Amino acid sequence: MKNDKNDKKSRDECGMTGMVSKVQKPFVSTTLLSAVLSSVLMMMPACTQSMPVLQSQGSKRVQAIKTIKVVQKDQNITPNQLYVDHNHNHNHDHNHDIPRNVGTKADFDAWLALHPHVAPQVAEYEQYLTSRLGLGQLPPMYELLTTARSWQECGHEPYEVPPRALWDAMIPTIILFNDLRLNGILPDNTHIRSVYRSPDLNRCAGGAVSSKHMTNGAMDIWVPNIDMGSHEMFQLQNRLCEYWLFNGKLYEFGLGLYATGAIHLDTQGYRKWGAQFSENHSICRITPSKSDE
């Protein structure tokens, strides 16, 4: 009963109760009637927003509230997983509804489900590398197939199987990567986040003109729990520089260390560099003597 009285009060405040009877009174002039109707119409939007909205939840009356529209594709996805929801009109084949945790198994599996035609190529590439390296020596394929962090801006895919003619080039780089981890140079949680790039993607991503990513001989890596400028990062870079100095020639180790904390490894030429792909900007200040070269 109390709620009914409140509803009646809301209608009274909006001028709705008795409106019909006012219109039907014969002694009301046309001018006055127009003024009354105009006042009611002007009041309606404000009253409509303030009136409660009834929803069928037993006998409870629920106040309607405005909510932000959230793109939610799967109720099993945790709130901290971000979906990319673009309104592009381009015709690229990649799907923007994949959770952007590129380089993780969950993200790769979701991407592969949307690109089933790539699955046989992935399986063949994995089998080939395993046959050359041995069981247990292969990093996860969801890391080995990552392209570039700017894949989306460049209109490419986050994962790509390199051309078959380039498969052999990755083998010595994986051997180097495994040895760096085995000897404690790189921690166990080191992630691979960029491997093969097509020339077009490499150009768009700002890679070097002769980048070894285009030949499938390079990988960019990062260590999630080490911040740039920290003592741990300083130690990591020193270990890499020392390893490069004493073992680099054996692997034709190309080492790129950047101020952002990014680390580049390849096995296509014994050299080192830093910013602007210049050796002079390399963080490694140790240079092999002429007799060692």
Side-chain angles (χ1 to χ4, degrees), residues 16-73:
M16 296 173 66
T17 303
M19 184 177 69
V20 177
S21 61
K22 288 180 182 180
V23 175
Q24 293 176 345
K25 289 182 179 180
F27 58 85
V28 178
S29 66
T30 305
T31 303
L32 181 57
L33 177 60
S34 299
V36 171
L37 289 175
S38 298
S39 299
V40 172
L41 291 174
M42 291 176 65
M43 293 170 61
M44 284 301 290
C47 291
T48 301
Q49 292 179 2
S50 62
M51 289 179 67
V53 177
L54 304 183
Q55 297 183 357
S56 57
Q57 294 187 3
S59 59
K60 296 182 180 180
R61 298 169 184 268
V62 182
Q63 181 74 26
I65 61 173
K66 294 181 179 179
T67 57
I68 300 173
K69 184 178 180 181
V70 178
V71 179
Q72 186 172 357
K73 303 297 181 182

Side-chain angles (χ1 to χ4, degrees), residues 98-111 139-149 151 157-160 189-195 220 222 224:
I98 302 174
R100 290 282 54 90
N101 292 317
V102 175
T104 63
K105 186 178 187 304
D107 184 74
F108 178 68
D109 288 346
W111 177 85
M141 294 302 290
Y142 53 79
E143 293 184 12
L144 276 180
L145 296 181
T146 51
T147 54
R149 284 176 292 168
W151 64 270
E157 294 290 344
Y159 307 96
E160 184 174 356
N189 64 334
T190 302
H191 286 216
I192 301 170
R193 64 178 179 182
S194 179
V195 187
D220 289 344
W222 71 297

Side-chain angles (χ1 to χ4, degrees), residues 210-244:
S210 58
S211 173
K212 305 309 178 184
H213 287 282
M214 295 187 293
T215 62
N216 195 40
M219 61 173 65
D220 289 344
I221 62 175
W222 71 297
V223 183
N225 61 333
I226 297 183
D227 297 326
M228 190 57 204
S230 66
H231 181 64
E232 291 79 7
M233 178 60 74
F234 178 75
Q235 289 182 319
L236 170 61
Q237 291 173 340
N238 276 349
R239 291 196 302 269
L240 284 167
C241 290
E242 186 176 354
Y243 183 96
W244 175 85

